[in-house]
Amino acid sequence: MYERLRTYLIVAAQAGVAAELSWFITRDVLHNAQPIFAPAVAIGTIAGAIGNRIRRALEFIAGVTMGAVVAHVITRIFGVGPVQTGVVVALAIAVAVAFRGTGAVLAQAGGTALLLGSVAQGPDLAVPRTASAVVGGVVAIAVAFLILPLNPLRVVHRSVGPTLDAFARELTAVADALAHRDPQQAECALERFSTAWEKRQKTAELVAAARQVAILSPWRRRRIGIMRRWEHAAEHLDAAYTSTREMVHWAVETLRAGEPVPAGLPPSIEHAGQALRLLYRDVVAGREPGPTRARAMQAIKEVNQACSDGVESSVTVVVAQLRATVSALLQASGLPEAEANRLAGLTASE
């Protein structure tokens, strides 16, 4: 909870600053009688799309504009009333769909059409509401990238680090469960692994936000090199997570079935988890990933020795997924796919 609060504290500060600035500009500079909508758009842009705020701002503005135009035309021709309001909302959403709008565009188009199509002075509110949307979106972008931008490296430390540690920690737990032939311990590790798996999407969203800031903010551009290295690693880490999840699942099945576990398999899994931790540190620090690769290859050396005398069916799947995990880690460290597969002992059929 504490780490989550620290990660999102800057988002809360951005939302507060954007709300205040957009309110001031709309009310005191543009003298808009409806200033409340600008802060609403600013907050929606800041908090609703951490990973792609520019797109979310454009979606808000596009949706409001479509809804305002449709409401203006319909109410001017047919007046206001329950039937007209329904027609206005339906047409606004239809127009948004025709332009392949996202859910945010549809919601803003329908909401704006509802508001402006249900009051007699609706046409008079169309321009101010659209202007407020533009102000809110522009202010949100300015706050996010110029006034109070995220620190990309800090975001990576606070979001990616705990996520990778969670995966690596469960690999250690599974290795210990296999070493002690404890299926209950393995099942608990699988449950915790599933929880970490579900959280990884939020981590990806935060990393996307950090990368966008590094590219667009002049104050954070010096971090772009680290973000690009991490982006490359992240492309392969998702495959590593998938293979690891399957490996943990089959490790549980192995213990449930009472199949023999080769002595070298648990330390091999432990070394794969250590390689995962080292990869994160090497990438963020900008170091050559030699330690990561060495630990990954230690995992392969041990699993090769473990399998030299043959293994049972479920263990075969565990080994195959472990090799796939190591290959993905080696690719994340910068090795080409063919070389990573060869070092991990993967054949073309696998």
Side-chain angles (χ1 to χ4, degrees), residues 262-300:
L265 185 58
S268 177
I269 295 175
E270 169 70 18
H271 280 115
Q274 292 172 0
L276 190 60
R277 287 192 178 97
L278 289 171
L279 175 69
Y280 164 72
R281 295 167 187 168
D282 289 344
V283 169
V284 171
R287 299 190 298 256
E288 282 297 317
T292 298
R293 294 172 183 171
R295 198 60 55 89
M297 292 311 302
Q298 181 65 29
I300 293 301

Side-chain angles (χ1 to χ4, degrees), residues 74-115:
I74 297 299
T75 54
R76 173 157 297 189
I77 296 174
F78 299 105
V80 297
V83 175
Q84 291 92 325
T85 298
V87 171
V88 165
V89 172
L91 284 177
I93 293 178
V95 170
V97 171
F99 281 93
R100 297 184 179 181
T102 62
V105 175
L106 300 183
Q108 290 301 316
T112 301
L114 175 63
L115 175 65

Side-chain angles (χ1 to χ4, degrees), residues 31 55 83 133 142-143 162 165 185 236 256 276 291 295 304 334:
H31 304 291
R55 185 183 68 185
V83 175
V143 170
D165 277 343
Q185 182 182 356
H236 302 287
R256 285 175 178 170
L276 190 60
R295 198 60 55 89
N304 286 342

Side-chain angles (χ1 to χ4, degrees), residues 226-316:
I226 292 176
M227 295 309 302
R228 283 176 175 167
R229 287 195 296 272
W230 182 252
E231 184 180 28
H232 169 79
E235 291 177 1
H236 302 287
L237 277 177
D238 202 52
Y241 295 155
T242 301
S243 298
T244 301
R245 184 174 65 170
E246 290 298 311
M247 179 182 69
V248 173
H249 168 75
W250 282 99
V252 171
E253 293 299 318
T254 296
L255 292 173
R256 285 175 178 170
E259 295 182 9
V261 177
L265 185 58
S268 177
I269 295 175
E270 169 70 18
H271 280 115
Q274 292 172 0
L276 190 60
R277 287 192 178 97
L278 289 171
L279 175 69
Y280 164 72
R281 295 167 187 168
D282 289 344
V283 169
V284 171
R287 299 190 298 256
E288 282 297 317
T292 298
R293 294 172 183 171
R295 198 60 55 89
M297 292 311 302
Q298 181 65 29
I300 293 301
K301 178 181 178 181
E302 288 171 345
V303 81
N304 286 342
Q305 292 174 348
C307 296
S308 59
D309 296 329
V311 293
E312 299 290 337
S313 57
S314 294
V315 176
T316 300

